């Protein structure tokens, strides 16, 4: 079949694009600009007709502008998705190029347009974010097929037009979102990384990159820019692989190598080159190819393909970043007052670049309970979920999002009913906060006069700030590993000393228990490579690393001794399995202490109880420490051989199991016998009912996140501890998997505030 050649485009593609760009940049109304653009395209294609259809709510394609069709049909002619040729293009996101449109089975006759006299038809989708938002059509009386080059040029024009289409000036921006399936109420679910509930607007960690210049001034220059950007991207990947020390079978390495393969993919490169050839800038061309691939692959359901889309999207975004020379993290000044961050994945260092006073929650498509980011989110005290599939595509920037990490649900663009229910919930939370504020200056004493020491878990300056206001005794667990995890190299004595000194400064007179680093395992640091570990949580971590590399531990001890000037230094060792380990680490500390020129008046040594083997060494342990702290996060995991981070295991074993509580009672009894303080710093203590059980089995010092202090104080002040202890003794003989219901009933009957 003969085809219309390029020569029959009345002007060169570049000239055509420039004309369109100039009109689009003009001051006329959006409708007037669109009307003008269709006239230019029709002329440029030496065709009688050029029309633009835009997607409206309800999957309707409305004729928005036309040169050649009857003027009265504009804004009148509407087609459903899949209806007619235009509907077919929208439904498949594929161009249609026909010599005789009326022969196509999908052709529908719309008399109001007067299009029956036109034979040839070429239509392309207008894409945004891989979704069809409109259709651009050129028609001619001449029954000839348009050339592939012309289809390509038309696609390029559609790309440029998409900016006008989504500007919100033609179709309301909210309506576009709704029409592309972006605005429906959605409920997503994931896995809890950090507890809490928040409602705020969504900010996407990698927002769509904004391209301001689509039309090339010099095509050769744009081709060179693209080559250069690709080269520098390849170099940065190569460098990353060299520096990362990743092993061959490391998944991360495989992902990067896939990226590298993409960058060398001739087809992909050729498509971008071709798009530049039609007059786009390098960034415009990358975006165009990205859009087309997304649209094509969105039609497929295969999860494998979907993953590849993500890979390509990441690659294109990286390339765009290089081309635009931009830092894509939104600047704090542009962030909303309160926002929930949505990302595919985010590193701890990146998370820390966001203004923590505005950051109210975190939603990740990837991530896990034990990732570094989860540790940071908990330290920041923001609700956070991992494994929320589809979050970055379903949640749009600016959407209202309710993040309920308690039930691991996300409500996107919640309806009035959900919002009202959640608002009630949040108001209830807020009212309780006010109530707790009234308790700030009152002691945490039970009704029968027993004082419970309330402390906070910390690990970043961000949480040190509010601690004083909460009326607490001090920091029961300072996780020193966070600065290790967020720096590229092992932090030296001075860096660490300054960090610890600042903590002392922020909390004058308070007791601060510094835990020596618990890096390794799930808290990987870039400068220590444990090799392949099947069970990192049970692997080379914490004190185990410190004992294999005593220099690292001694550096930390030196910094801790130097930083503490005006009070007793409290140091706690994590992940102790054997008394021999405790003795060895203690010796290292004492060596540093002996050699220190300047030191605090005295020190106290403590151990975390988080590995079950220590439970059979309690009497000897208590002789060699000044205090212990139970870490239920690890202890529960090892006691029940259950990784609670795994979704399908969630809820299998209760923290209020009589077994767990008996263990805690054993520890408190052994500690009491030697006059050693037994504290508790695991997550479970933040819940008032769990904390009630803990004090009922002898714990007298709790360390929890700052936000939980108020509710614990209210609970403690409403308890008769002697009575509770008797009841707990009774409950501990139960062979049920949990005593939760009994304890709840007890609390209700005894008016205990939970
Ligand atoms: C614990 O294991 O309970 C604990 C407090 O330590 P981390 O959560 O830092 O492992
Ligand atoms: Mg632990």
């Amino acid at each position: 079949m003969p085809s219309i050649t390029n020569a029959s485009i009345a002007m060169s593609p570049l000239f055509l694009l420039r004309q369109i760009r100039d009109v689009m940049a003009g001051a006329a109304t959006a409708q007037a600009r669109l009307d003008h653009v269709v006239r230019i395209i029709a002329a440029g294609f030496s065709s009688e007709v050029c029309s633009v259809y835009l997607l409206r709510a309800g999957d309707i394609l409305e004729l928005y502008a036309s040169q050649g069709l009857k003027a009265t049909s504009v804004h009148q002619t509407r087609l459903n998705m899949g209806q007619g040729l235009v509907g077919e293009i929208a439904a498949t996101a594929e161009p249609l190029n026909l010599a005789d449109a009326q022969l196509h089975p999908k052709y529908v006759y719309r008399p109001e347009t007067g299009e029956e006299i036109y034979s040839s038809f070429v239509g392309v989708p207008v894409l945004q974010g891989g979704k069809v938002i409109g259709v651009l059509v050129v028609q001619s009386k001449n029954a000839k097929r348009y050339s592939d080059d012309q289809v390509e040029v038309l696609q390029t024009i559609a790309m440029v037009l998409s900016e006008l289409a989504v500007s919100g000036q033609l179709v309301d921006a909210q309506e576009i979102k709704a029409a592309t399936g972006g605005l429906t109420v959605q409920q997503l679910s994931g896995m809890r990384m950090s507890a809490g509930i928040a409602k705020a607007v969504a900010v996407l960690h990698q927002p769509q990159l904004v391209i301001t210049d689509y039309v090339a001034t010099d095509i050769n220059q744009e081709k060179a820019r693209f080559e250069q950007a690709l080269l520098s991207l390849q170099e940065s990947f190569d460098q990353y692989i060299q520096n990362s020390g990743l092993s061959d079978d490391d998944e991360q390495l495989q992902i990067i190598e896939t990226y590298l393969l993409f960058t060398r993919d001739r087809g992909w490169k050729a498509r971008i080159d071709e798009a530049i050839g039609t007059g786009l800038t390098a960034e415009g061309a990358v975006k165009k190819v990205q859009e087309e691939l997304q649209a094509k692959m969105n039609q497929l359901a295969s999860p494998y393909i979907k993953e590849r889309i993500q890979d390509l999207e990441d690659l294109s975004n990286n390339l765009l970043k290089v081309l635009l020379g931009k830092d894509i993290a939104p600047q704090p000044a542009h962030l909303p007052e309160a926002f929930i961050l949505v990302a595919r994945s985010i590193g701890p260092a990146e998370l820390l670049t966001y203004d923590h006073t505005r950051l109210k929650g975190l939603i990740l498509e990837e991530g896990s309970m034990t990732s570094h980011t989860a540790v940071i989110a908990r330290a920041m005290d923001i609700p956070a979920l991992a494994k929320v599939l589809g979050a970055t595509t379903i949640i749009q920037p600016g959407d209202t999002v309710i993040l309920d990490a308690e039930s691991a649900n996300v409500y996107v663009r919640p309806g009035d009913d959900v919002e009202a229910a959640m608002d009630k919930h949040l108001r209830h939370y807020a009212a309780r906060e006010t109530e707790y504020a009234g308790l700030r200056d009152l002691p945490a004493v039970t009704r029968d006069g027993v004082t419970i020491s309330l402390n906070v878990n910390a690990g970043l300056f961000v949480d040190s700030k509010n601690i004083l206001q909460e009326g607490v005794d001090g920091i029961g667990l300072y996780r020193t590993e966070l600065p290790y995890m967020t720096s590229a190299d092992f932090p030296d004595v001075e860096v660490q000393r300054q960090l610890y000194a600042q903590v002392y400064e922020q909390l004058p007179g308070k007791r601060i228990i510094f835990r020596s680093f618990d890096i390794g395992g799930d808290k990987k640091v870039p400068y220590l490579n444990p090799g392949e570990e099947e069970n990192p949580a049970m692997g080379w971590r914490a004190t185990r690393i410190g004992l294999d590399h005593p220099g690292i531990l001694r550096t930390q001890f030196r910094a801790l001794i130097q930083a503490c000037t005006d009070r007793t230094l409290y140091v706690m060792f994590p992940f102790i399995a054997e008394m021999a380990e405790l003795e060895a680490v203690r010796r290292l500390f004492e060596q540093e202490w002996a050699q220190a020129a300047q030191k605090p008046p005295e020190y106290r040594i403590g151990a975390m109880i988080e590995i079950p083997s220590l439970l059979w060494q309690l009497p000897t342990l208590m002789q060699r420490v000044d205090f212990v702290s139970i870490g239920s996060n690890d202890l529960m995991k090892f006691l029940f051989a259950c990784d609670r981070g795994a979704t399908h295991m969630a809820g299998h074993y209760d923290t209020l199991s009589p077994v767990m509580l008996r263990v805690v009672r054993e520890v408190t009894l052994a500690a009491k016998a030697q006059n050693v303080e037994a504290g508790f710093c695991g997550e479970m203590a933040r819940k008032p009912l769990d904390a009630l059980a803990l004090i009922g089995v002898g714990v007298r010092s709790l360390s929890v996140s700052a936000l939980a202090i108020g509710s614990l104080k209210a609970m403690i002040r409403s308890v008769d501890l002697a009575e509770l202890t008797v009841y707990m003794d009774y409950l501990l003989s139960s062979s049920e998997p949990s005593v939760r219901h009994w304890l709840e009933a007890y609390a209700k009957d005894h008016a205990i505030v939970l």
Side-chain angles (χ1 to χ4, degrees), residues 479 515 518 523 541 574-575 608 610 631 633-635:
R479 290 182 166 100
R515 179 177 73 179
D518 182 5
K523 299 166 189 164
R541 62 178 271 201
F575 224 61
M608 294 271 304
E610 50 187 350
N633 307 347
D634 278 314
L635 188 57

Side-chain angles (χ1 to χ4, degrees), residues 375 378 457 477 479 481 515 518 522-523 541 572 574-575 608-610 629-638 680-684:
V375 176
R378 287 199 288 274
N457 290 346
L477 166 65
R479 290 182 166 100
E481 57 271 13
R515 179 177 73 179
D518 182 5
D522 45 13
K523 299 166 189 164
R541 62 178 271 201
M572 176 159 74
F575 224 61
M608 294 271 304
I609 298 189
E610 50 187 350
S629 190
I630 301 173
S632 57
N633 307 347
D634 278 314
L635 188 57
M636 275 291 288
K637 188 155 58 190
F638 302 130
F680 195 103
C681 62
E683 291 273 315
M684 69 179 269

